[in-house]
């Protein structure tokens, strides 16, 4: 889950982005403001802000100046109606640059790009993880150890998750969000609102379906497809020869 903040001096622009953020899985809006000075203070005091959508052309303080202050601890996606700001935006370490009016398709591509950047950074910063974890299967006093390598996929069922392994399945009282935060990003990826898969267990991709070991077949959710395919592309061997 990535936290987001929107800074824009126009309320209708904020409303558009807030609507997109609420629609896009894996994003959580933590605030918005038309006043860049107030926004800077709120971002500084927030526990964590992963992505800031920042308007460039604002009367009190330019988005480029705001980026100088916040870009060291958050990813900035610049938004503007003026394409001539593009070079300056990237000089300010902007992660992306979107021209207004912003379509949901362009928003999706930008967020997916930044999420992949954040994912790579998290993997680089991650300390070596344990190769296993314990769950409570719903029986008092009982704990079961599961190895990451044995997990095929995880299915969300309201307040529970079902963990499918090579040896069987286990149900435990956890939400998808809770288990997604606990498992290593280097080993698992969410492909659907109800499914997280073990990357090493993917045998093939067939259209909108993922085929796992032991012939399990899971759908790829529309909202998750871009980020999933983008991750797969980073691991796909391609010839550099010209036809």
């Amino acid at each position: 889950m990535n936290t987001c903040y929107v800074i824009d001096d126009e309320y209708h622009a904020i409303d558009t982005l807030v609507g997109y953020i609420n629609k896009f899985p894996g994003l959580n809006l933590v605030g918005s403001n038309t006043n860049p000075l107030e926004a800077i203070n709120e971002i500084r005091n927030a526990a964590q802000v992963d992505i800031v959508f920042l308007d460039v052309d604002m009367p009190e303080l330019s988005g480029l100046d705001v980026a100088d202050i916040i870009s060291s601890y958050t990813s900035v996606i610049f938004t503007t109606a003026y394409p001539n700001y593009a070079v300056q935006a990237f000089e300010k370490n902007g992660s992306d640059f979107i021209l207004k009016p912003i379509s949901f398709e362009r928003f999706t591509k930008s967020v997916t790009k930044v999420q992949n950047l954040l994912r790579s950074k998290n993997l680089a910063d991650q300390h070596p993880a344990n190769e296993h974890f314990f769950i409570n299967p719903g029986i008092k006093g009982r704990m079961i150890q599961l190895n990451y390598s044995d997990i095929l996929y995880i299915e969300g069922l309201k307040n529970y998750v079902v963990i499918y392994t090579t040896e069987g399945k286990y149900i435990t009282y956890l939400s998808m969000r809770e288990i997604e935060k606990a498992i290593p990003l280097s080993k698992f990826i969410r492909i659907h609102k109800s499914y997280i898969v073990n990357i090493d267990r993917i045998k093939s991709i067939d259209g909108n379906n993922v085929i796992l070991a032991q012939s399990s077949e899971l759908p790829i959710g529309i909202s998750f497809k871009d980020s999933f395919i983008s991750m797969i592309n980073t691991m796909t061997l391609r010839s550099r020869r010209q036809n």
Side-chain angles (χ1 to χ4, degrees):
M1 181 66 67
N2 295 125
T3 53
C4 303
Y5 195 101
V6 181
I7 307 174
D8 200 302
D9 63 321
E10 298 178 336
Y11 286 105
H12 69 86
I14 289 179
D15 289 342
T16 296
L17 286 170
V18 168
Y20 289 168
I21 290 168
N22 290 334
K23 182 179 179 181
F24 194 94
L27 295 183
N28 178 37
L29 180 71
V30 295
S32 64
N33 210 311
T34 57
N35 185 318
L37 292 174
E38 292 179 0
I40 290 169
N41 187 56
E42 290 181 358
I43 290 169
R44 280 175 165 174
N45 292 326
Q48 180 179 350
V49 178
D50 297 314
I51 303 171
V52 173
F53 295 90
L54 177 59
D55 185 29
V56 175
D57 192 34
M58 295 183 289
E60 294 186 4
L61 189 65
S62 164
L64 299 173
D65 294 326
V66 174
D68 281 335
I69 300 170
I70 67 173
S71 62
S72 62
Y73 47 86
T74 187
S75 296
V76 174
I77 298 176
F78 287 103
T79 63
T80 181
Y82 305 100
N84 53 298
Y85 282 121
V87 174
Q88 291 172 280
F90 286 111
E91 287 177 347
K92 298 295 183 179
N93 296 318
S95 297
D96 206 357
F97 181 89
I98 310 178
L99 285 176
K100 298 177 180 179
I102 302 170
S103 68
F104 184 64
E105 179 182 7
R106 181 65 183 89
F107 172 89
T108 298
K109 289 181 179 179
S110 183
V111 169
T112 300
K113 173 185 175 181
V114 176
Q115 284 183 323
N116 286 332
L117 291 173
L118 291 171
R119 179 186 178 91
S120 298
K121 182 179 183 300
N122 288 337
L123 291 178
D125 294 342
Q126 225 176 42
H127 296 291
N130 292 327
E131 293 301 316
H132 56 266
F133 62 95
F134 287 85
I135 61 167
N136 182 332
I139 301 173
K140 187 176 180 179
R142 185 178 182 190
M143 304 296 286
I144 295 176
Q145 178 177 280
L146 299 178
N147 294 320
Y148 291 126
S149 59
D150 292 335
I151 296 173
L152 301 175
Y153 66 97
I154 300 166
E155 180 181 12
L157 296 175
K158 293 185 178 180
N159 296 323
Y160 293 83
V161 295
V162 184
I163 302 174
Y164 293 82
T165 74
T166 54
E167 297 180 350
K169 64 181 182 180
Y170 304 89
I171 301 175
T172 188
Y173 186 69
L174 287 170
S175 68
M176 286 289 276
R177 181 179 297 182
E178 287 171 331
I179 198 161
E180 191 174 21
K181 287 182 177 179
I183 56 181
L185 296 175
S186 59
K187 299 178 182 291
F188 296 90
I189 186 168
R190 194 164 183 174
I191 64 166
H192 188 279
K193 66 179 182 180
S194 299
Y195 297 110
I196 297 171
V197 301
N198 184 336
I199 298 170
D200 291 337
R201 292 289 179 172
I202 297 175
K203 288 179 62 179
S204 62
I205 301 164
D206 187 3
N208 291 321
N209 294 295
V210 172
I211 315 300
L212 302 175
Q214 299 187 347
S215 300
S216 300
E217 184 172 332
L218 302 175
I220 304 171
I222 294 175
S223 299
F224 294 87
K225 187 169 184 178
D226 283 346
S227 58
F228 174 65
I229 295 301
S230 179
M231 183 275 294
I232 292 296
N233 285 338
T234 65
M235 299 187 292
T236 301
L237 297 181
R238 302 183 189 278
S239 174
R240 295 184 179 273
R241 293 174 295 177
Q242 295 182 349
N243 294 326

